[in-house]
Amino acid sequence: ITFWKAAIDELLVSVFLESQEKAPEEIILDVDTTDLPLHGEPEGRFFHGYYDCYCYLPLYIFCGEHVLCARLRQSNSDASAGSLAEIERVVRQIRTAWPEVKIILRADSGFCRNERMSWCENHQVDYVFGLARNKRLRRIIGRPMHEASEQWEQTGKPARVFTEFGYQVKKTKKSGWDRERRVVAQAEHIDGKENPRFIITSLSSERWAPQALYEDLYCGRGDM
């Protein structure tokens, strides 16, 4: 059995483009991975700690209910491995058909890498990614976190305080960011404990206020 890989890749995007009566003003591309459990000992079999099984780790790109990319991968590499090449390809095909469309790339913290954000910034693609928590981020939101804790003590109900700030990972030989970027934080206190969440974005505060950015835009990725 033979197939033309490039033609299949192109077809998935073409089906999406042809499904629209006219070019939309804006679209959201969701990028994500999931586990494909394996049985027996097929080629490329590796154990994945997060999914707690032997599996492949396919990469997907969706726009709404349309699959724009489905790439089978082994699970012994970073979740974002190879994703930039697929994003570039999909965006290029979409922009060829719809040169004026605004594109937002949405993904969890596994895809939050300087290379990916810089590419978006250089190609007029907006993004909103999850940002893994760390001690430095927790210190920055000390006051909002305290406010949320006080609200929880007064009401006994989950309390959320939203804030935003500029943030940059310091440059090292192996990693770091080339610029400061906008981070939105949800300082949440629930069930007697802290549950802070962070997202990073190229979208402006004038267009997306912190709470709306987190609840209405970023959390929408759960539907994909």
Side-chain angles (χ1 to χ4, degrees), residues 138-154:
R138 173 59 183 83
R139 287 196 300 270
I140 292 173
I141 64 165
R143 181 173 294 179
M145 201 72 252
H146 179 68
E147 292 177 17
S149 298
E150 287 189 327
Q151 291 180 23
W152 179 84
E153 290 176 358
Q154 293 171 2

Side-chain angles (χ1 to χ4, degrees), residues 52-72:
D52 195 29
C53 66
Y54 286 91
C55 63
Y56 290 140
L57 194 67
L59 173 75
Y60 294 101
I61 301 177
F62 283 86
C63 186
E65 296 181 352
H66 290 269
V67 182
L68 307 185
C69 171
R71 183 70 68 235
L72 188 64

Side-chain angles (χ1 to χ4, degrees), residues 89-138:
R89 175 182 59 78
V90 169
V91 168
R92 183 169 58 250
Q93 187 176 348
I94 291 173
R95 284 262 171 85
T96 298
W98 301 334
E100 302 300 323
V101 68
K102 296 177 182 177
I103 299 175
I104 298 175
L105 193 64
R106 183 169 62 182
D108 66 17
S109 60
F111 293 86
C112 182
R113 303 289 186 272
N114 183 69
E115 178 190 28
R116 216 153 282 103
M117 293 185 287
S118 293
W119 181 88
C120 288
E121 290 155 353
N122 293 331
H123 290 82
Q124 293 75 55
V125 174
D126 282 308
Y127 59 83
V128 54
F129 296 147
L131 179 62
R133 70 185 75 177
N134 59 46
K135 293 181 180 179
R136 183 181 167 202
L137 289 169
R138 173 59 183 83

Side-chain angles (χ1 to χ4, degrees), residues 106 128-131 133 160-163 182-188 195-201 203 208-222:
R106 183 169 62 182
V128 54
F129 296 147
L131 179 62
R133 70 185 75 177
R160 299 176 181 89
V161 177
F162 290 88
T163 188
R182 180 191 180 201
V183 169
V184 166
Q186 175 187 254
E188 182 179 47
N195 184 39
R197 298 297 177 92
F198 303 89
I199 56 176
I200 187 166
T201 186
L203 295 164
W208 284 96
Q211 185 169 354
L213 181 75
Y214 184 86
E215 295 181 343
D216 299 335
L217 182 58
Y218 179 71
C219 288
R221 65 175 296 276

